[in-house]
Amino acid sequence: MKTMTLCKHTNLELIPREKNKMRCKHCHLTISKDELENGFCPECFETQGKKQYDFEEMKADANAKSQFRCEDCGIIIKTD
């Protein structure tokens, strides 16, 4: 049985929309451009010792809905 929360969700924080990501053409790791500190795939380097620089850009969904998190109870609210 679900219980109703008494929270009125008045303390909302906007969850940032997903940005474009990069996917390694070798191991398929998907990572943000910001996380590519040295320009090569950290997963390939860690597992194989190879510096792979071949990535394909994965576009973020332009039609994604805005989402908010209630800071008091943690619920995620999606807009229409």
Side-chain angles (χ1 to χ4, degrees):
M1 179 174 165
K2 285 189 172 182
T3 58
M4 295 283 292
T5 178
L6 298 177
C7 184
K8 296 184 190 266
H9 314 304
T10 57
N11 189 12
L12 298 178
E13 178 180 332
L14 177 65
I15 299 173
R17 290 185 185 222
E18 191 172 291
K19 296 179 181 178
N20 291 351
K21 297 203 175 196
M22 305 300 285
R23 183 168 62 187
C24 177
K25 290 184 178 181
H26 301 276
C27 74
H28 305 290
L29 172 73
T30 304
I31 190 169
S32 72
K33 288 181 181 182
D34 299 339
E35 294 174 305
L36 283 175
E37 298 171 2
N38 300 313
F40 57 85
C41 176
E43 183 70 17
C44 287
F45 185 70
E46 183 177 323
T47 59
Q48 302 169 10
K50 295 181 181 178
K51 293 182 180 181
Q52 302 289 357
Y53 295 92
D54 298 325
F55 291 91
E56 60 184 329
E57 188 170 5
M58 307 297 293
K59 298 282 185 187
D61 183 5
N63 298 320
K65 312 265 186 210
S66 295
Q67 296 184 28
F68 298 86
R69 177 183 303 108
C70 178
E71 292 295 304
D72 296 327
C73 71
I75 192 170
I76 304 292
I77 300 170
K78 296 179 183 180
T79 61
D80 288 331

mmCIF file of all heavy atoms in Angstrom, residues 32-60:
data_model
loop_
_atom_site.group_PDB
_atom_site.id
_atom_site.type_symbol
_atom_site.label_atom_id
_atom_site.label_comp_id
_atom_site.label_asym_id
_atom_site.label_seq_id
_atom_site.Cartn_x
_atom_site.Cartn_y
_atom_site.Cartn_z
ATOM 1 N N SER A 32 30.930 12.472 -20.843
ATOM 2 C CA SER A 32 30.771 13.875 -21.241
ATOM 3 C C SER A 32 32.112 14.428 -21.720
ATOM 4 O O SER A 32 33.175 13.922 -21.366
ATOM 5 C CB SER A 32 30.239 14.709 -20.074
ATOM 6 O OG SER A 32 31.230 14.881 -19.098
ATOM 7 N N LYS A 33 32.048 15.477 -22.527
ATOM 8 C CA LYS A 33 33.275 16.107 -23.027
ATOM 9 C C LYS A 33 34.126 16.624 -21.873
ATOM 10 O O LYS A 33 35.353 16.587 -21.936
ATOM 11 C CB LYS A 33 32.937 17.257 -23.973
ATOM 12 C CG LYS A 33 32.406 16.809 -25.296
ATOM 13 C CD LYS A 33 32.119 18.003 -26.192
ATOM 14 C CE LYS A 33 31.551 17.564 -27.517
ATOM 15 N NZ LYS A 33 31.303 18.703 -28.416
ATOM 16 N N ASP A 34 33.473 17.089 -20.819
ATOM 17 C CA ASP A 34 34.194 17.609 -19.655
ATOM 18 C C ASP A 34 35.042 16.536 -18.966
ATOM 19 O O ASP A 34 36.063 16.830 -18.362
ATOM 20 C CB ASP A 34 33.222 18.197 -18.636
ATOM 21 C CG ASP A 34 32.424 19.366 -19.188
ATOM 22 O OD1 ASP A 34 32.874 19.975 -20.189
ATOM 23 O OD2 ASP A 34 31.359 19.661 -18.633
ATOM 24 N N GLU A 35 34.593 15.292 -19.040
ATOM 25 C CA GLU A 35 35.302 14.204 -18.381
ATOM 26 C C GLU A 35 36.478 13.679 -19.202
ATOM 27 O O GLU A 35 37.280 12.905 -18.695
ATOM 28 C CB GLU A 35 34.337 13.057 -18.074
ATOM 29 C CG GLU A 35 33.279 13.440 -17.053
ATOM 30 C CD GLU A 35 32.244 12.358 -16.857
ATOM 31 O OE1 GLU A 35 31.632 11.937 -17.849
ATOM 32 O OE2 GLU A 35 32.056 11.942 -15.691
ATOM 33 N N LEU A 36 36.569 14.096 -20.458
ATOM 34 C CA LEU A 36 37.693 13.695 -21.306
ATOM 35 C C LEU A 36 38.861 14.638 -21.056
ATOM 36 O O LEU A 36 39.215 15.456 -21.882
ATOM 37 C CB LEU A 36 37.295 13.743 -22.788
ATOM 38 C CG LEU A 36 36.440 12.601 -23.287
ATOM 39 C CD1 LEU A 36 36.030 12.836 -24.721
ATOM 40 C CD2 LEU A 36 37.184 11.289 -23.155
ATOM 41 N N GLU A 37 39.466 14.510 -19.914
ATOM 42 C CA GLU A 37 40.530 15.417 -19.484
ATOM 43 C C GLU A 37 41.713 15.432 -20.444
ATOM 44 O O GLU A 37 42.233 16.479 -20.796
ATOM 45 C CB GLU A 37 41.001 15.026 -18.084
ATOM 46 C CG GLU A 37 39.921 15.134 -17.042
ATOM 47 C CD GLU A 37 40.345 14.541 -15.719
ATOM 48 O OE1 GLU A 37 41.494 14.076 -15.598
ATOM 49 O OE2 GLU A 37 39.517 14.544 -14.795
ATOM 50 N N ASN A 38 42.149 14.268 -20.881
ATOM 51 C CA ASN A 38 43.342 14.170 -21.715
ATOM 52 C C ASN A 38 43.011 13.912 -23.182
ATOM 53 O O ASN A 38 43.921 13.729 -23.986
ATOM 54 C CB ASN A 38 44.263 13.067 -21.188
ATOM 55 C CG ASN A 38 44.715 13.344 -19.767
ATOM 56 O OD1 ASN A 38 45.124 14.449 -19.454
ATOM 57 N ND2 ASN A 38 44.626 12.356 -18.898
ATOM 58 N N GLY A 39 41.736 13.827 -23.519
ATOM 59 C CA GLY A 39 41.327 13.624 -24.900
ATOM 60 C C GLY A 39 41.248 12.174 -25.337
ATOM 61 O O GLY A 39 40.762 11.882 -26.411
ATOM 62 N N PHE A 40 41.721 11.254 -24.526
ATOM 63 C CA PHE A 40 41.635 9.837 -24.879
ATOM 64 C C PHE A 40 40.675 9.121 -23.926
ATOM 65 O O PHE A 40 40.355 9.619 -22.846
ATOM 66 C CB PHE A 40 43.012 9.163 -24.874
ATOM 67 C CG PHE A 40 43.757 9.254 -23.572
ATOM 68 C CD1 PHE A 40 43.530 8.347 -22.555
ATOM 69 C CD2 PHE A 40 44.703 10.247 -23.369
ATOM 70 C CE1 PHE A 40 44.228 8.425 -21.359
ATOM 71 C CE2 PHE A 40 45.413 10.338 -22.186
ATOM 72 C CZ PHE A 40 45.168 9.426 -21.180
ATOM 73 N N CYS A 41 40.226 7.963 -24.346
ATOM 74 C CA CYS A 41 39.253 7.189 -23.560
ATOM 75 C C CYS A 41 39.899 6.642 -22.288
ATOM 76 O O CYS A 41 40.857 5.854 -22.369
ATOM 77 C CB CYS A 41 38.699 6.049 -24.401
ATOM 78 S SG CYS A 41 37.577 4.975 -23.497
ATOM 79 N N PRO A 42 39.398 7.027 -21.125
ATOM 80 C CA PRO A 42 39.996 6.535 -19.876
ATOM 81 C C PRO A 42 39.778 5.036 -19.668
ATOM 82 O O PRO A 42 40.615 4.358 -19.066
ATOM 83 C CB PRO A 42 39.305 7.360 -18.793
ATOM 84 C CG PRO A 42 38.045 7.837 -19.405
ATOM 85 C CD PRO A 42 38.304 7.956 -20.874
ATOM 86 N N GLU A 43 38.672 4.495 -20.183
ATOM 87 C CA GLU A 43 38.376 3.067 -20.028
ATOM 88 C C GLU A 43 39.355 2.215 -20.838
ATOM 89 O O GLU A 43 39.894 1.234 -20.334
ATOM 90 C CB GLU A 43 36.942 2.776 -20.461
ATOM 91 C CG GLU A 43 36.511 1.348 -20.279
ATOM 92 C CD GLU A 43 36.338 0.936 -18.831
ATOM 93 O OE1 GLU A 43 36.232 1.812 -17.955
ATOM 94 O OE2 GLU A 43 36.303 -0.286 -18.578
ATOM 95 N N CYS A 44 39.576 2.589 -22.101
ATOM 96 C CA CYS A 44 40.539 1.851 -22.936
ATOM 97 C C CYS A 44 41.939 1.934 -22.343
ATOM 98 O O CYS A 44 42.686 0.949 -22.348
ATOM 99 C CB CYS A 44 40.540 2.408 -24.365
ATOM 100 S SG CYS A 44 39.075 1.980 -25.333
ATOM 101 N N PHE A 45 42.297 3.095 -21.831
ATOM 102 C CA PHE A 45 43.620 3.264 -21.249
ATOM 103 C C PHE A 45 43.776 2.413 -19.990
ATOM 104 O O PHE A 45 44.811 1.767 -19.790
ATOM 105 C CB PHE A 45 43.893 4.734 -20.934
ATOM 106 C CG PHE A 45 45.276 4.991 -20.440
ATOM 107 C CD1 PHE A 45 46.362 4.873 -21.292
ATOM 108 C CD2 PHE A 45 45.509 5.339 -19.125
ATOM 109 C CE1 PHE A 45 47.662 5.104 -20.846
ATOM 110 C CE2 PHE A 45 46.797 5.567 -18.663
ATOM 111 C CZ PHE A 45 47.875 5.447 -19.525
ATOM 112 N N GLU A 46 42.730 2.382 -19.169
ATOM 113 C CA GLU A 46 42.811 1.612 -17.921
ATOM 114 C C GLU A 46 42.829 0.112 -18.177
ATOM 115 O O GLU A 46 43.561 -0.623 -17.522
ATOM 116 C CB GLU A 46 41.631 1.960 -17.008
ATOM 117 C CG GLU A 46 41.686 1.266 -15.666
ATOM 118 C CD GLU A 46 40.553 1.677 -14.738
ATOM 119 O OE1 GLU A 46 40.179 2.857 -14.754
ATOM 120 O OE2 GLU A 46 40.055 0.802 -14.015
ATOM 121 N N THR A 47 42.015 -0.361 -19.118
ATOM 122 C CA THR A 47 41.896 -1.809 -19.324
ATOM 123 C C THR A 47 42.924 -2.374 -20.308
ATOM 124 O O THR A 47 43.318 -3.525 -20.179
ATOM 125 C CB THR A 47 40.486 -2.183 -19.814
ATOM 126 O OG1 THR A 47 40.221 -1.506 -21.045
ATOM 127 C CG2 THR A 47 39.434 -1.826 -18.778
ATOM 128 N N GLN A 48 43.331 -1.548 -21.319
ATOM 129 C CA GLN A 48 44.224 -2.072 -22.357
ATOM 130 C C GLN A 48 45.567 -1.343 -22.430
ATOM 131 O O GLN A 48 46.453 -1.756 -23.173
ATOM 132 C CB GLN A 48 43.547 -1.968 -23.722
ATOM 133 C CG GLN A 48 42.237 -2.701 -23.796
ATOM 134 C CD GLN A 48 41.473 -2.348 -25.069
ATOM 135 O OE1 GLN A 48 42.006 -1.708 -25.971
ATOM 136 N NE2 GLN A 48 40.237 -2.758 -25.143
ATOM 137 N N GLY A 49 45.667 -0.227 -21.712
ATOM 138 C CA GLY A 49 46.889 0.558 -21.775
ATOM 139 C C GLY A 49 47.039 1.336 -23.079
ATOM 140 O O GLY A 49 48.115 1.822 -23.391
ATOM 141 N N LYS A 50 45.948 1.451 -23.860
ATOM 142 C CA LYS A 50 45.983 2.146 -25.147
ATOM 143 C C LYS A 50 45.240 3.467 -25.048
ATOM 144 O O LYS A 50 44.186 3.546 -24.423
ATOM 145 C CB LYS A 50 45.327 1.297 -26.239
ATOM 146 C CG LYS A 50 46.064 0.021 -26.533
ATOM 147 C CD LYS A 50 45.375 -0.753 -27.633
ATOM 148 C CE LYS A 50 46.107 -2.045 -27.911
ATOM 149 N NZ LYS A 50 45.427 -2.841 -28.937
ATOM 150 N N LYS A 51 45.786 4.481 -25.693
ATOM 151 C CA LYS A 51 45.140 5.788 -25.737
ATOM 152 C C LYS A 51 44.326 5.882 -27.027
ATOM 153 O O LYS A 51 44.885 6.080 -28.102
ATOM 154 C CB LYS A 51 46.173 6.912 -25.664
ATOM 155 C CG LYS A 51 46.884 6.967 -24.330
ATOM 156 C CD LYS A 51 47.858 8.123 -24.280
ATOM 157 C CE LYS A 51 48.555 8.169 -22.933
ATOM 158 N NZ LYS A 51 49.489 9.295 -22.839
ATOM 159 N N GLN A 52 43.021 5.679 -26.885
ATOM 160 C CA GLN A 52 42.116 5.731 -28.032
ATOM 161 C C GLN A 52 41.488 7.118 -28.094
ATOM 162 O O GLN A 52 40.932 7.597 -27.112
ATOM 163 C CB GLN A 52 41.023 4.656 -27.911
ATOM 164 C CG GLN A 52 41.545 3.251 -27.793
ATOM 165 C CD GLN A 52 42.143 2.730 -29.102
ATOM 166 O OE1 GLN A 52 42.128 3.382 -30.134
ATOM 167 N NE2 GLN A 52 42.676 1.529 -29.046
ATOM 168 N N TYR A 53 41.555 7.749 -29.261
ATOM 169 C CA TYR A 53 41.027 9.101 -29.449
ATOM 170 C C TYR A 53 39.808 9.134 -30.371
ATOM 171 O O TYR A 53 39.345 10.200 -30.718
ATOM 172 C CB TYR A 53 42.121 10.010 -30.034
ATOM 173 C CG TYR A 53 43.298 10.208 -29.099
ATOM 174 C CD1 TYR A 53 44.403 9.371 -29.152
ATOM 175 C CD2 TYR A 53 43.290 11.239 -28.170
ATOM 176 C CE1 TYR A 53 45.479 9.564 -28.295
ATOM 177 C CE2 TYR A 53 44.360 11.441 -27.311
ATOM 178 C CZ TYR A 53 45.452 10.594 -27.382
ATOM 179 O OH TYR A 53 46.511 10.792 -26.540
ATOM 180 N N ASP A 54 39.301 7.976 -30.775
ATOM 181 C CA ASP A 54 38.183 7.911 -31.717
ATOM 182 C C ASP A 54 36.858 7.898 -30.967
ATOM 183 O O ASP A 54 36.521 6.917 -30.299
ATOM 184 C CB ASP A 54 38.280 6.649 -32.584
ATOM 185 C CG ASP A 54 39.530 6.626 -33.436
ATOM 186 O OD1 ASP A 54 39.941 7.714 -33.883
ATOM 187 O OD2 ASP A 54 40.077 5.535 -33.653
ATOM 188 N N PHE A 55 36.100 9.001 -31.113
ATOM 189 C CA PHE A 55 34.807 9.138 -30.448
ATOM 190 C C PHE A 55 33.754 9.560 -31.458
ATOM 191 O O PHE A 55 34.064 10.177 -32.476
ATOM 192 C CB PHE A 55 34.864 10.209 -29.344
ATOM 193 C CG PHE A 55 35.707 9.819 -28.172
ATOM 194 C CD1 PHE A 55 37.050 10.133 -28.134
ATOM 195 C CD2 PHE A 55 35.147 9.139 -27.103
ATOM 196 C CE1 PHE A 55 37.833 9.786 -27.049
ATOM 197 C CE2 PHE A 55 35.922 8.783 -26.014
ATOM 198 C CZ PHE A 55 37.272 9.109 -25.988
ATOM 199 N N GLU A 56 32.515 9.230 -31.156
ATOM 200 C CA GLU A 56 31.387 9.755 -31.913
ATOM 201 C C GLU A 56 30.511 10.542 -30.945
ATOM 202 O O GLU A 56 30.356 10.160 -29.791
ATOM 203 C CB GLU A 56 30.598 8.642 -32.599
ATOM 204 C CG GLU A 56 30.017 7.603 -31.663
ATOM 205 C CD GLU A 56 29.332 6.472 -32.417
ATOM 206 O OE1 GLU A 56 28.802 6.720 -33.511
ATOM 207 O OE2 GLU A 56 29.331 5.358 -31.890
ATOM 208 N N GLU A 57 29.972 11.648 -31.435
ATOM 209 C CA GLU A 57 29.156 12.498 -30.573
ATOM 210 C C GLU A 57 27.744 11.944 -30.484
ATOM 211 O O GLU A 57 27.144 11.586 -31.493
ATOM 212 C CB GLU A 57 29.127 13.931 -31.097
ATOM 213 C CG GLU A 57 28.469 14.886 -30.135
ATOM 214 C CD GLU A 57 28.645 16.341 -30.528
ATOM 215 O OE1 GLU A 57 29.199 16.606 -31.599
ATOM 216 O OE2 GLU A 57 28.229 17.196 -29.745
ATOM 217 N N MET A 58 27.228 11.857 -29.274
ATOM 218 C CA MET A 58 25.860 11.403 -29.020
ATOM 219 C C MET A 58 25.046 12.632 -28.644
ATOM 220 O O MET A 58 25.290 13.246 -27.611
ATOM 221 C CB MET A 58 25.833 10.377 -27.875
ATOM 222 C CG MET A 58 26.790 9.208 -28.052
ATOM 223 S SD MET A 58 26.423 8.205 -29.479
ATOM 224 C CE MET A 58 24.872 7.524 -28.997
ATOM 225 N N LYS A 59 24.114 13.002 -29.497
ATOM 226 C CA LYS A 59 23.313 14.200 -29.271
ATOM 227 C C LYS A 59 22.317 13.966 -28.134
ATOM 228 O O LYS A 59 21.692 12.917 -28.048
ATOM 229 C CB LYS A 59 22.546 14.591 -30.536
ATOM 230 C CG LYS A 59 23.435 14.942 -31.700
ATOM 231 C CD LYS A 59 23.988 16.319 -31.542
ATOM 232 C CE LYS A 59 24.784 16.709 -32.776
ATOM 233 N NZ LYS A 59 25.472 17.935 -32.639
ATOM 234 N N ALA A 60 22.170 14.966 -27.285
ATOM 235 C CA ALA A 60 21.183 14.918 -26.211
ATOM 236 C C ALA A 60 19.797 15.093 -26.826
ATOM 237 O O ALA A 60 19.644 15.698 -27.893
ATOM 238 C CB ALA A 60 21.450 16.016 -25.194
#
